[in-house]
Amino acid sequence: MTTSLSCFKAYDVRGKVPQVLNEKVAYAVGKAFAMRFGAKCVVSGHDARLSGPSLQKALMAGLEAGGVRPVDIGLCNTEEIYYASALRDGTNLCFDGGIMVTGSHNPADENGLKFVRGGAIPVSGDTGLNDVRDLAAGILATDAEFPAKPKDVELADFRDGYLDFVCRTAPLSSSAAGNRRRRLKIHIDPGNGCGGLLARPLCERLGLDWTGANLNPDGTFPNGVPNPLLPEKRAETAAAVRAHKADMGIAWDGDADRCFFYDEEGRFLEGYYLVGLLAEAMLKQHPGSKIIHDPRLCWNTIDIVSSLGGIPVQSKTGHAFIKERMRAEDAVYGGEMSAHHYFREFAYCDSGTLPWLLVAGLLCTDERTLGERVHEREKLYPCSGEINSRVEDAAAVMQTVQKRYAAHAVAEEHVDGLSMTFDKWRFNLRSSNTEPLLRLNVESRGDKSLMEDRTSELLELIRK
């Protein structure tokens, strides 16, 4: 094993276990987190991965060594850590921070750590994570031994409280429930991750007809990596939706902070169009509010928000940027095409539960199916979806693209990569933060052939 801290990324910790992330590293990170933020009480939990419990124990031992009272909520979703971190006892926060042990959508032999401060405020490289890394490196260099588990841990369970919260927040279970025009049938597939911990009791509590597959958390992931974005992961859920004649299908990644949708025909839906649907749902609850979107694909979202009397606001891509902008604007909702959806009522955090409840609420009071609703928007604003290209010099390629199209563009932005707008189409081209990749998104106004032609044209230029 190594004590390398290459596991520290821009917003979290990720790496193979035990080669990159192991108990000694987890201990050092816990102690460093306590030192950097002066925390006194921190809540933590873990996802279904087999390495989760031992890493969490070492993490809590480190927190304890740093003067923290660790609180353990055990097997959970990431959003349960966010919920607990935002809890208040009167006017005071109950916790000074929260740490989730999760590998998210990555393979079973990888794991990681996600951090928030009290109030569920995100921690990134610019707001303390780099300091935690440097402190942890010092602890690893000086602490010859470390306890494998903490001496005194408080056990807690906030799940019922969180379920109550989402039921109050989503209209499916409130006054709108009495206005349902039809009873929904839903198929759920957590992929042996943690999504079923919340989805199963919610389906039962809300009186939904539902079927499910791969419901039980299993860190060996016997049915494949819990990443619904992989094309090979979609066939099973699509077939089940059709077989059970469900109104929609929902799948989650490993820690269930993202959910993905299938329509009644089993078609996997592009996340971009869900942002528009969720903006509609939130504006029905909060008329005239601000909605945050990223610049990769935006015309559909802007159209829906503006037509409903809301205010669209653009933000740089990434959870730290979205959450910061939402707080600054007091926005009610923020959405990314990557299936991260953020809500003001949820301390501006991303949830994998509120989106499907809100979409279900829309469907219950609409004669149109989910597929019909999304298809309408696809015709108005067809898009390429995100396409990755491996390049040697991303900056040089982006400069070439900019020069090629500059004479015909009616607008050009550099909020997040390069965005160029023309009369009937637009594109965004941005670099990956972690890989030598360029990510391309193209959309048009009601002209699918134009979108496809421009996408092919751009890809040929990028990959030349």
Side-chain angles (χ1 to χ4, degrees):
M1 294 190 297
T2 177
T3 55
S4 167
L5 292 183
S6 62
C7 54
F8 274 79
K9 310 301 178 184
Y11 303 113
D12 56 21
V13 167
R14 285 179 279 124
K16 285 189 177 293
V17 178
Q19 296 93 330
V20 177
L21 178 59
N22 50 59
E23 292 177 9
K24 192 169 185 179
V25 172
Y27 169 85
V29 171
K31 187 174 181 180
F33 184 90
M35 294 167 61
R36 169 59 177 82
F37 295 106
K40 299 302 179 185
C41 188
V42 172
V43 62
S44 69
H46 64 84
D47 71 12
R49 289 158 205 275
L50 302 183
S51 60
S54 61
L55 287 174
Q56 188 197 354
K57 285 176 182 171
L59 171 77
M60 291 190 294
L63 288 167
E64 193 173 65
V68 165
R69 177 167 62 91
V71 175
D72 176 14
I73 63 172
L75 181 68
C76 65
N77 293 336
T78 290
E79 62 193 293
E80 293 182 79
I81 291 293
Y82 296 157
Y83 172 74
S85 300
L87 283 175
R88 292 183 178 274
D89 181 9
T91 59
N92 298 316
L93 287 167
C94 296
F95 298 102
D96 303 307
I99 305 176
M100 177 68 180
V101 181
T102 176
S104 187
H105 58 278
N106 293 320
D109 62 347
E110 297 185 24
N111 216 323
L113 304 166
K114 293 182 179 180
F115 309 86
V116 290
R117 291 159 49 202
I121 296 173
V123 176
S124 66
D126 295 334
T127 57
L129 190 57
N130 290 342
D131 298 331
V132 172
R133 177 198 61 204
D134 296 341
L135 287 167
I139 292 166
L140 287 168
T142 56
D143 284 19
E145 297 182 2
F146 70 97
K149 59 183 180 179
K151 297 177 182 177
D152 186 20
V153 173
E154 179 182 335
L155 301 179
D157 185 349
F158 301 107
R159 184 162 297 152
D160 284 344
Y162 183 59
L163 291 172
D164 290 341
F165 163 76
V166 296
C167 285
R168 290 194 305 270
T169 305
L172 181 64
S173 55
S174 59
S175 58
N179 298 323
R180 293 185 192 176
R181 296 179 184 174
R182 56 189 170 121
R183 182 180 173 91
L184 286 185
K185 186 171 186 179
I186 297 178
H187 180 75
I188 62 174
D189 188 346
N192 298 113
C194 292
L197 297 175
L198 297 176
R200 189 192 309 210
L202 280 169
C203 284
E204 294 172 350
R205 180 186 288 207
L206 299 176
L208 299 172
D209 289 334
W210 67 280
T211 57
N214 309 316
L215 294 171
N216 296 323
D218 183 342
T220 66
F221 300 125
N223 298 289
V225 179
N227 182 2
L229 284 177
L230 297 175
E232 62 268 25
K233 289 289 293 180
R234 300 175 186 174
E236 180 185 355
T237 306
V241 168
R242 291 190 294 268
H244 294 294
K245 295 181 171 54
D247 295 293
M248 69 176 179
I250 309 146
W252 291 265
D253 60 355
D255 62 333
D257 62 348
R258 292 185 296 161
C259 65
F260 303 83
F261 291 80
Y262 295 76
D263 69 12
E264 69 282 358
E265 296 180 354
R267 186 170 63 112
F268 184 84
L269 300 178
E270 168 63 53
Y272 171 40
Y273 300 105
L274 270 302
V275 175
L277 275 179
L278 289 165
E280 176 186 342
M282 294 308 295
L283 287 170
K284 285 185 174 180
Q285 292 188 47
H286 307 279
S289 295
K290 293 180 179 179
I291 302 292
I292 306 295
H293 63 87
D294 70 59
R296 288 175 289 181
L297 294 168
C298 61
W299 274 351
N300 179 66
T301 305
I302 292 170
D303 182 29
I304 289 175
V305 172
S306 300
S307 67
L308 293 173
I311 304 171
V313 178
Q314 182 170 272
S315 167
K316 189 174 180 179
T317 305
H319 83 97
F321 298 112
I322 297 280
K323 291 172 181 175
E324 181 180 8
R325 192 65 186 272
M326 285 185 70
R327 290 176 186 273
E329 301 283 350
D330 193 32
V332 70
Y333 163 72
E336 296 182 275
M337 57 177 286
S338 57
H340 284 288
H341 302 285
Y342 310 85
F343 301 90
R344 183 176 65 192
E345 280 83 355
F346 190 40
Y348 304 97
C349 289
D350 39 334
S351 165
T353 299
L354 287 172
W356 73 264
L357 288 176
L358 289 163
V359 171
L362 286 176
L363 295 180
C364 280
T365 56
D366 192 340
E367 298 297 338
R368 291 170 295 173
T369 67
L370 178 57
E372 288 169 343
R373 292 192 59 132
V374 171
H375 185 60
E376 289 173 6
R377 305 311 303 184
E378 288 173 329
K379 288 174 64 178
L380 289 169
Y381 298 100
C383 76
S384 64
E386 192 155 85
I387 304 171
N388 293 327
S389 300
R390 188 168 294 273
V391 298
E392 292 185 5
D393 189 339
V397 174
M398 290 181 71
Q399 187 176 34
T400 298
V401 171
Q402 188 274 337
K403 288 181 178 178
R404 165 67 176 78
Y405 290 96
H408 304 288
V410 298
E412 180 178 326
E413 292 181 343
H414 298 269
V415 173
D416 195 354
L418 171 66
S419 295
M420 302 189 80
T421 301
F422 309 86
D423 286 339
K424 294 185 178 180
W425 70 286
R426 67 177 295 276
F427 74 85
N428 173 265
L429 186 65
R430 58 191 290 270
S431 297
S432 166
N433 292 323
T434 58
E435 300 175 87
L437 296 176
L438 281 176
R439 307 189 190 280
L440 174 68
N441 285 279
V442 184
E443 62 184 327
S444 73
R445 298 188 190 277
D447 192 334
K448 186 176 181 181
S449 294
L450 175 64
M451 179 274 295
E452 292 174 340
D453 290 345
R454 293 295 178 260
T455 300
S456 298
E457 183 179 280
L458 278 158
L459 289 174
E460 183 178 359
L461 183 61
I462 290 165
R463 296 170 177 177
K464 198 169 186 179

